[in-house]
Structure formats: C-alpha cells, structure tokens
C-alpha cells in the first residue's frame, strides 16, 4: 500500500457514496446496543427496501453519537437531523421521511447545547463512520497521517509535532506526551514496545471503550505512528475482559489493517515494520497502573513495581516501552495531520487540546462529550449536561473516579484543567464525571470509593493493603454513627500515611475521596459522631 | 520431591484442543498464561483444576504460579456458574442510582449472596465494578444482555423469563 493507493481507496469509497441522497446512522455503542439498536438498524434497512428507497438511501451502523440519555439514537446525513428514543416500530416513518420532511415527534432540537458546545477532535469520527469498515475510515481521511509520518517525516520530526501540541497523557496523570516519547526514543539500543492502555477501570468512565467501539482504527493509527517515532516493532492493546464489544471491534480492525498492508512489514512501502496484538485483561483495576499492566501482559499477577525505573527505560520484558492511554493515541493522527500548533490553540496554555468526558449521575444529559480544556464545570453540567434531573438540586460533582475528589457548588465556575482541579483536591483523571444531588450522603460516597480501593488493592504493599482496610472500617463507623473524635483523627492520619508510602497510584490516591469530602463536607462526618468533636483549641 | 500427580494421559477432547490452540499460537510461552486461562474458562465454563494442572505443565510454569494468577483476577472463577448469571453493576453511577437496592432485592428474592449459585434455580448472582454503560444506570446484565435503567420489577420479569426457559 502506497500513499497513492490509500488515496485511491478513499476516492473509490467516496464515489460509492456519491449515489446516496440520505444515510440513516444508527448508534451501536454499548448503551444504544443494549436498547436493541441492532434490531432497529435491521428494521430500518427492511423499511428502506419496502419503501423503494434502498437504491439511494442506506442504513449505517456507527459508534457512540454521545447523548446516551436519549438513546437509541439515529442521525440522518447529510441534513443532520437527530432522532431520539427510536424503536423498531419507528422504522417505516423514518424511512419514508428520508430526503423529505423529518419525523417531528422523534426529533431532537437542532441546536442543542449538548452538541453545539462540543469540540470533537478525538470523537470526530464516532457517530459518522462504520467502525467495522476500514474503507469508511480511510474515506474520512484515516491513515493519511500515518502515510505522511512514514513517507515525509523523520521520527524526530514526529516527536517534535507531538511535543509542540502540548498534549498531556489523557489516562489521568497528565504527563507531557512529547516528553515521554522523547525519553523512550532515547533509551538505548534495545527492542522497544508500544502499549495502549485500554484498561479503563474507573467506575463511571466510558470514554475509552466508546473510542475503541466507535473508531478503532484511530487508535491503531496513533499506535503505529508512536511506534515509528520511538523505534518499536510491536504494539499491544490491553483491554478489559468485561468489555467484549471493544475487543471484537479492535480485533476486527486489526485484521482489516493487516489485509490492507497498513500493519505488518514495509508499511507504505517504507522500511518500517509494525504489528499490534490485543491482550485481554481479567478484571483487575490495578492493571490500569502501567507497571501492573506490564506484569499482566507478561502473564503474571497484576502487581506494580517501584518506579524508577520507569517503563520508558525498563518496561515490557525489561525493554524500553512507550505506554499511553487510548485517548492519548487517538489524538495523534489529527496532530500529525494538522500540526502541533493547531492542537495547542485549543484549550488552555497549561492544558492544551480537548478532553473526552463521560457524564453520568443525576444530570439530564448523561453521555459522552468532548470539550476544550478550560471549559468550566458549570458549562459542562448545566449547559451541555442540561442541568439536574427534575426536582433535584446539585450537591457535588465527582471527577477522576476513585482517585479523585468531590467538588461542591461554590467551585462550579472552575475551568477544567489539570492544575486547577488538583488545587481543589480532585483530579481530571481519565474523564469520568459523576453528578451528585442533595440526596447523596458524602460519607457513604467516600466509603464506597474506599471499599473499591480495598477490593482492588493488589496486596503487595502494607500501606495500601492494610490502610484501605482500616480506613474502610473507620468510614463504616461514621456511616453507622458509632464513630468517635479519635476515629476522625486516626482517619486523617491514615490518609496521610497511605498517600505518602504506598507503592503505586492506587494506594497513593485512595485517600483522595476521603480528603476531599472532609475538606468540603466535614459536617457530614462530625454530625455522625457518637460524641461531638471538641472545638479546636 | 513431591509426587507429581499428573492429570493422567490427556484425554484429547475438543475443549482441551481449544486450549492447546491458544498455547500453540503463543508459542507455549509463559506469558501466554492469562490468554490461556481465558480459553480454559470459555470452553470449560470455569477454571477446572485438572485443566489448570495441564496448563502449568504445558507452559512449563509452576502450578503455584498458575494458581496465583487464577485467583488474583476477578474475572476468573474456580467454581462453575449456574445456567443463568445475573450480574449487578456496582460502579459509582449505578451506586448513586440505586444499584445497591437492586442487588439486595435480587439477593433477597432468590436467597443468594453475591458470588453464590442457587442450585435449584440454576442462577448465579454476581457483581461487577462498572461495565461502562454508566449513562444507563443502574445496570444489570442477565446472561450477558444488558438491562439499562433497571427497576426491581423489570429485573424480576427478565429473570423469571430466563429461568423458565
């Protein structure tokens, strides 16, 4: 496959689409799929054939359109009409409406803030292309960034573009991606590996799985570019076992890519060889931590290792390894295509670019969104998110999963960026955002997260193994209203010890929900004490 | 030296063949262990002890290590599940939308603790920490099918339907 041939594949696919006057795109992300959107797509196809429009209209199964609360969703191209809560019985009227007047009772308002306020870079193809068809990806411009990188740029130039973009790791740590790539590229003359961390384990987060389901080739392309930049020959995508759909879509995409010679030896007729394999996890949150993930790929228990040495120097099988999150890799093709400076113009100077968030909890518009960094929490929850559910009032938003914190109403105007959320005692994390209302007990929420950390602790180091257990026990006393002032003191001490002495991020961040709820909702702890807390001396 | 209680001459059945295929595809390397255990669980329904011993021998990995890996990960189970599996998601979004109440309801109705199987009704009750369908909270899966915005009533209906078949 040469660049010219890639161009021809794209052209041929676009020509095949030229006969189309309208296309009904049915969302087949996990959420809509669980509401039988697959049957809906079949019903729509049958309705098209019955109405005689199948020669100029077609049904396409696409990835997550985003507004999961209104699913199953169907979007109509090219006019952009969006239908909500579509059932198979709605297929005949929708088929009849294609190319004519929309079906008003199903239609979502055309300029909903939910869509209008988003900036979809990572999700630009999700909801538009068929994730099971590589030609659809190519026709939308896919793999041209890879062609450009391999045939017109040196590895150093690729790394420079990524560094100029200011992209920071989207898995949660926010480490500068360009710096990581530079470090791996410089590490000795050994075999190198690329790993894509698809072990999205934060409860409440479904960004990565949606990207894997809706645009798997984007991730593959990003990984190959990464491999070229650091001098690797082999890549692994580590996916949770609990997610069969991403595994299936990625595996299929890899087979297609190999068939088209976009993976394998001599990619784009250059000397560069690269292949990717899917590795399935087995249900361990700790395997989202990079060294534990590596231990898992090596066939062992998912226990982390002390760092340094970092994977960039000593990673998979002791070799220099580039490990990045799904969303981080998904940002690479547009950065190479349009330039690092283009990307850096979005977001803020400290946190350039956009971020994908999964909005869940007691908010109206639950679903998947992508906004520039620097968008405020208020805009995300009340404009894009549509505000609280009927009759509920806002209490806090939990960001960053079990490693994050709860942010109360007084800070809603905070721009979402790495340093600002950190100053509030939370983190951006992988992008999960859970909106909590006035019926939520914050002590219960803190205990819930601690129970999670306790169950997921790998058991290797004492501060985490014992610390999470003891903190959970203490939090239970507060929930059951049997706590005493010294329990509060002990809880705070344990938070400190666990944070500073645990081996890996799981233990180090486990106290965060407790610390953040103590900071903003201390009275919920003190009113649950059997004996009142003494006034500070 | 402890006697090596081998699993005996391997009965070549289709299930074991599938496991061998996985190991062969990975060159019988030790790092193929987790992939291999997935195949064992897929074809045998659970991590059958006999199969684990054979895997250890085939991959030249200590049995203790195989056991250590098998028991580390939540996804693997060393006992068979019932004919039907009901999994309640206990992730954050599901928790604040009433997931715990759903779990209690099923546990109560079918007299099961999470992780247990009711032999009479051949139903296993499990929990999982987030399957990533958070916008549909609370979520329950019944035999792999996702039931979003689950209510006790709807869940009862689905379980009764599935158990009756």
């Amino acid at each position: 496959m040469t660049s010219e041939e890639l161009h021809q594949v794209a052209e041929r696919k676009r020509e095949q689409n030229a006969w189309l006057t309208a296309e009904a795109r049915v969302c087949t992300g996990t959420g809509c799929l669980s509401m039988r959107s697959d049957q809906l797509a079949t019903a729509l196809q049958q309705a098209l054939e019955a109405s005689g429009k199948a020669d100029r209209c077609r049904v396409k199964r696409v990835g997550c359109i985003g507004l999961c609360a209104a699913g199953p969703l169907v979007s109509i191209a090219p006019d952009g009409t969006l239908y909500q809560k579509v059932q198979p019985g709605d297929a005949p009227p929708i088929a009849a409406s294609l190319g004519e007047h929309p079906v008003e009772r199903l239609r979502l308002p055309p300029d909903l803030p939910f869509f209008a306020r988003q900036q979809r870079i990572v999700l630009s193809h999700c909801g538009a292309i068929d994730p099971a068809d590589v030609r659809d990806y190519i026709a939308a411009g896919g793999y041209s960034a890879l062609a450009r990188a391999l045939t017109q740029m040196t590895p150093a130039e690729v790394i420079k573009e990524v560094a100029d973009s200011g992209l920071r790791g989207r898995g949660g740590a926010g480490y500068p991606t360009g710096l990581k790539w530079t470090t791996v590229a410089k590490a000795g003359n050994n075999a190198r590996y690329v790993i894509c961390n698809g072990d999205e384990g934060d409860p409440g987060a479904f960004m990565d799985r949606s990207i894997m389901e809706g645009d798997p080739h984007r991730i593959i392309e990003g990984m190959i570019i990464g491999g070229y930049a650091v001098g690797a020959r082999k890549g692994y995508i580590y996916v949770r076992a609990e997610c069969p759909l991403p595994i299936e879509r990625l595996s299929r995409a890899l087979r297609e890519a190999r068939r088209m010679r976009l993976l394998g030896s001599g990619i784009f007729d250059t000397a560069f060889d690269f292949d990717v394999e899917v590795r399935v996890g087995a249900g361990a949150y700790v395997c989202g931590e990079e060294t534990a993930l590596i231990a898992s790929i090596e066939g062992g228990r998912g226990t982390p290792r002390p760092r340094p040495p970092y994977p960039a120097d000593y990673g998979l099988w002791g070799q220099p390894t580039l490990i990045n999150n799904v969303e981080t890799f998904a940002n690479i093709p547009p950065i190479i295509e349009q330039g690092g400076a283009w990307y850096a113009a979005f977001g803020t100077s400290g946190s350039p670019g956009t971020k994908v968030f999964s909005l869940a909890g007691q908010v109206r518009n639950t679903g998947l969104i992508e906004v520039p960094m620097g968008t405020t929490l208020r805009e995300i929850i009340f404009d894009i998110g549509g505000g609280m559910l009927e009759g509920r009032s806002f209490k806090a938003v939990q960001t960053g999963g079990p490693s994050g914190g709860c942010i109360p109403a007084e800070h809603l105007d905070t721009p979402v960026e790495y340093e600002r959320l950190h100053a509030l005692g939370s983190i951006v994390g992988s992008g999960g955002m859970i909106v909590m209302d006035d019926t939520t007990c914050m002590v219960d929420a803190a205990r819930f997260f601690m129970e999670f950390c306790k169950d997921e602790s790998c058991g290797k180091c004492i501060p985490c193994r014992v610390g999470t257990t003891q903190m959970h026990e203490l939090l239970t006393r507060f929930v059951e209203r049997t706590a005493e002032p010294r329990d509060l003191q002990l809880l705070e001490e344990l938070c400190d010890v666990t944070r500073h002495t645990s081996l890996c991020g799981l233990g180090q961040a486990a106290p965060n929900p407790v610390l953040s709820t103590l900071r903003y909702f201390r009275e919920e702890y003190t009113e649950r004490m059997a004996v009142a807390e003494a006034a500070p001396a | 030296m402890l006697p090596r209680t081998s699993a005996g001459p391997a009965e070549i059945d289709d299930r074991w063949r599938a496991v061998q295929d996985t190991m062969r595809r990975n060159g019988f390397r030790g790092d193929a262990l987790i992939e291999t255990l997935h195949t064992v669980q897929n074809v045998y329904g659970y991590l059958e002890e006999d199969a684990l011993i054979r895997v250890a021998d085939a991959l030249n990995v200590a049995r203790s290590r195989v056991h250590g890996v098998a028991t580390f990960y939540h996804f693997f189970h060393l006992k068979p599940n019932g004919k039907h599996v009901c999994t309640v998601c206990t992730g954050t979004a599901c928790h604040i939308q009433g997931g715990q109440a759903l779990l209690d309801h099923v546990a109560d109705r079918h007299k099961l603790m999470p992780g247990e199987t009711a032999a009479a009704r051949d139903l296993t009750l499990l929990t999982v920490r987030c399957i990533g369908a958070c916008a549909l909270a609370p979520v329950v899966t019944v035999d792999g099918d996702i039931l979003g915005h689950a209510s006790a009533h709807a869940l009862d209906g689905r379980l009764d339907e599935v158990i009756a078949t």
Side-chain angles (χ1 to χ4, degrees), chain A residues 84-106:
Chain A
Q84 61 168 324
K85 300 199 198 296
V86 185
Q87 296 302 310
D90 297 318
I94 292 179
S97 77
L98 288 182
E100 324 213 10
H101 292 297
V103 182
E104 287 302 333
R105 69 174 166 86
L106 291 172

Side-chain angles (χ1 to χ4, degrees), chain A residues 56-127:
Chain A
R56 58 196 184 284
C57 300
R58 103 172 143 205
V59 175
K60 186 155 78 171
R61 286 167 169 76
V62 297
C64 186
I65 293 176
L67 188 48
C68 309
L73 291 170
V74 178
S75 84
I76 309 295
D79 65 57
T81 306
L82 191 55
Y83 294 124
Q84 61 168 324
K85 300 199 198 296
V86 185
Q87 296 302 310
D90 297 318
I94 292 179
S97 77
L98 288 182
E100 324 213 10
H101 292 297
V103 182
E104 287 302 333
R105 69 174 166 86
L106 291 172
R107 202 180 172 199
L108 277 167
D111 45 10
L112 268 183
F114 182 88
F115 294 104
R117 302 286 286 267
Q118 290 192 46
Q119 182 72 51
R120 289 164 79 97
I121 295 179
V122 169
L123 298 178
S124 60
H125 296 149
C126 278

Side-chain angles (χ1 to χ4, degrees), chain A residues 191-240:
Chain A
R192 297 191 189 108
Y193 297 100
V194 173
I195 295 177
C196 175
N197 187 342
D199 192 60
E200 182 174 62
D202 277 357
F206 50 97
M207 305 76 52
D208 292 348
R209 75 161 310 151
S210 303
I211 300 168
M212 289 190 275
E213 287 170 1
D215 198 2
H217 284 284
R218 175 73 85 88
I219 301 162
I220 296 169
E221 188 179 0
M223 284 177 75
I224 309 174
I225 294 172
Y228 175 65
V230 305
R233 291 250 172 294
K234 186 73 193 272
Y236 294 92
I237 307 179
Y238 189 88
V239 192
R240 289 179 69 203

Side-chain angles (χ1 to χ4, degrees), chain A residues 119-123 161-170 177 218 327-356 370-373 418:
Chain A
Q119 182 72 51
R120 289 164 79 97
I121 295 179
V122 169
L123 298 178
E161 222 48 76
V162 174
D164 286 349
S165 74
L167 177 65
R168 294 171 67 167
R170 294 291 190 246
T177 308
R218 175 73 85 88
E327 194 182 333
T328 309
F329 278 121
N331 272 298
I332 300 297
I335 287 173
I336 296 302
E337 189 79 45
Q338 318 228 35
W342 163 83
Y343 188 79
F346 294 101
T348 67
S349 58
S351 306
T354 59
K355 180 80 189 78
V356 180
E370 186 177 354
V371 292
M373 286 291 230
Y418 292 103

Side-chain angles (χ1 to χ4, degrees), chain A residues 273-285:
Chain A
D273 308 334
F274 195 77
D275 204 350
V276 177
E277 208 181 295
V278 170
R279 283 296 180 117
V280 178
Y285 174 73

Side-chain angles (χ1 to χ4, degrees), chain A residues 217-264:
Chain A
H217 284 284
R218 175 73 85 88
I219 301 162
I220 296 169
E221 188 179 0
M223 284 177 75
I224 309 174
I225 294 172
Y228 175 65
V230 305
R233 291 250 172 294
K234 186 73 193 272
Y236 294 92
I237 307 179
Y238 189 88
V239 192
R240 289 179 69 203
E242 296 90 327
C243 299
L245 194 54
I247 295 170
E248 186 193 306
R249 298 238 169 116
L250 278 167
S251 303
R252 190 204 170 99
L254 287 172
R255 283 196 300 274
E256 285 188 310
R258 278 187 210 112
R259 240 194 319 267
M260 302 211 81
R261 304 276 314 276
L262 295 160
L263 269 179

